[in-house]
Amino acid sequence: EVQLVQSGAEVKKPGESLKISCKGSGYSFTSYWIGWVRQMPGKGLEWMGIIYPGDSDTRYSPSFQGQVTISADKSISTAYLQWSSLKASDTAMYYCARLSSSSWFDPWGQGTLVTVSS
Amino acid sequence: DIQMTQSPSSLSASVGDRVTITCQASQDISNYLNWYQQKPGKAPKLLIYDASNLETGVPSRFSGSGSGTDFTFTISSLQPEDIATYYCQQYDNLPSFTFGPGTKVDIK
């Protein structure tokens, strides 16, 4: 079974750093792009960026370029999303998802809730 | 950037009703249009890919059609378990992915 399992919920203060993870299993992790999607409370889905774990080629949405860093460690089949200095506006649910045939996201991880509050 | 619009933003229908959601792209996206279902508190789930292809295991009451800029998603007979928000999503080869704003479906 193809599966993506994300790290647990985080509560952080403004200005702190954070790295959340997404571990793939049941398929060749290095052969598919992995995407990250943000969902702010009560809002819709926003694409943040994608990474190809095979060679770490990374593409960002212009809205998130410079705001986050996407990386991957193919040796442990894990993709990451990180912030160097969190803001309250980063409070959201973050999903990872495998990109199939370069067009659709399937499957999705269960989501990681990030809460940033002083 | 390609913009996606969806209508309606919400709807309320009775069990057994036919439900239709439309999605419009700001420019031609061929058939690079996918549909997802998101139930409250859950991750999105792929239902339809490339505009009209039903994902394996998805009930046949769900269907999609369209190409170019105008797309339609249909639930032929609404069931209680279909209560969710539905999103369209486009892809272009920049690469860039854009989700529609979503349609919340409720039971009347």
Side-chain angles (χ1 to χ4, degrees):
Chain A
E1 179 195 7
V2 176
Q3 202 171 8
L4 297 173
V5 177
Q6 298 185 230
S7 49
E10 302 274 2
V11 179
K12 292 289 190 179
K13 289 180 167 40
E16 292 186 331
S17 63
L18 176 64
K19 191 173 189 177
I20 62 175
S21 67
C22 168
K23 182 173 176 63
S25 62
Y27 73 101
S28 175
F29 187 74
T30 54
S31 300
Y32 291 82
W33 293 82
I34 291 281
W36 287 95
V37 174
R38 182 177 78 175
Q39 187 168 40
M40 298 179 78
K43 302 299 183 182
L45 305 170
E46 302 172 89
W47 170 64
M48 302 176 72
I50 53 174
I51 186 165
Y52 190 75
D55 61 6
S56 291
D57 186 6
T58 308
R59 317 289 176 87
Y60 292 94
S61 161
S63 299
F64 292 92
Q65 179 85 47
Q67 308 304 307
V68 296
T69 301
I70 294 171
S71 61
D73 184 341
K74 62 184 179 183
S75 70
I76 54 171
S77 301
T78 301
Y80 301 98
L81 177 66
Q82 70 179 87
W83 296 259
S84 58
S85 181
L86 287 159
K87 303 184 282 287
S89 57
D90 292 317
T91 294
M93 182 72 81
Y94 293 89
Y95 294 101
C96 66
R98 189 182 76 167
L99 186 61
S100 294
S101 296
S102 299
S103 173
W104 61 85
F105 293 104
D106 178 63
W108 294 60
Q110 83 276 21
T112 296
L113 180 63
V114 173
T115 304
V116 184
S117 173
S118 54
Chain B
D1 283 8
I2 297 176
Q3 307 300 317
M4 305 299 293
T5 56
Q6 259 183 264
S7 62
S9 57
S10 66
L11 66 90
S12 189
S14 300
V15 172
D17 280 356
R18 184 179 185 87
V19 168
T20 299
I21 299 168
T22 62
C23 181
Q24 187 168 57
S26 59
Q27 61 191 72
D28 190 334
I29 58 170
S30 184
N31 68 333
Y32 290 131
L33 192 285
N34 309 306
W35 291 95
Y36 300 86
Q37 175 193 64
Q38 187 178 31
K39 295 184 178 182
K42 299 294 187 183
K45 174 188 173 184
L46 177 72
L47 298 182
I48 304 284
Y49 62 93
D50 285 349
S52 60
N53 294 288
L54 192 67
E55 171 70 343
T56 302
V58 173
S60 59
R61 63 180 180 274
F62 297 101
S63 65
S65 64
S67 66
T69 60
D70 296 299
F71 301 87
T72 300
F73 172 81
T74 300
I75 308 173
S76 61
S77 177
L78 186 67
Q79 300 301 304
E81 60 267 31
D82 300 335
I83 299 314
T85 300
Y86 294 84
Y87 295 93
C88 60
Q89 172 248 315
Q90 71 83 25
Y91 157 79
D92 70 39
N93 58 10
L94 289 176
S96 176
F97 306 86
T98 309
F99 292 90
T103 296
K104 188 174 182 180
V105 175
D106 232 326
I107 295 285
K108 194 181 294 182

